[in-house]
């Protein structure tokens, strides 16, 4: 298993808490919640891609 999987799960806990507060707060615009979800999704994909590429580069340098 990739060692970044537990780390990403650990990072998703506060992100979920922030999104829950944004979703349940009546003073927050729905558009702000939508953009927060999109931003977190983009950052998660970019981080996952960087992790994947870094692990492939590490495997190549060890071979």
């Amino acid at each position: 298993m990739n060692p970044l999987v537990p780390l990403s799960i650990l990072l998703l806990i506060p992100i979920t808490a922030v999104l829950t507060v944004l979703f349940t707060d009546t003073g927050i615009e729905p558009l702000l919640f939508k953009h927060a979800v999109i931003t977190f999704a983009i950052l998660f994909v970019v981080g996952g891609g960087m992790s994947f590429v870094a692990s492939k580069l590490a495997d190549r340098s060890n071979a």
Side-chain angles (χ1 to χ4, degrees):
M1 176 168 62
N2 189 344
L4 292 177
V5 172
L7 182 62
S8 65
I9 292 171
L10 185 66
L11 288 175
L12 283 176
I13 294 170
I15 290 172
T16 305
V18 168
L19 291 178
T20 303
V21 169
L22 285 176
F23 184 70
T24 57
D25 191 6
T26 56
I28 300 295
E29 290 283 330
L31 192 61
L32 178 64
F33 176 75
K34 176 185 169 189
H35 288 298
V37 170
I38 291 171
T39 301
F40 286 137
I42 290 171
L43 290 175
F44 188 75
V45 168
V46 168
M50 289 173 61
S51 168
F52 179 75
V53 169
S55 68
K56 291 299 175 187
L57 286 174
D59 286 345
R60 186 190 311 178
S61 67
N62 288 337

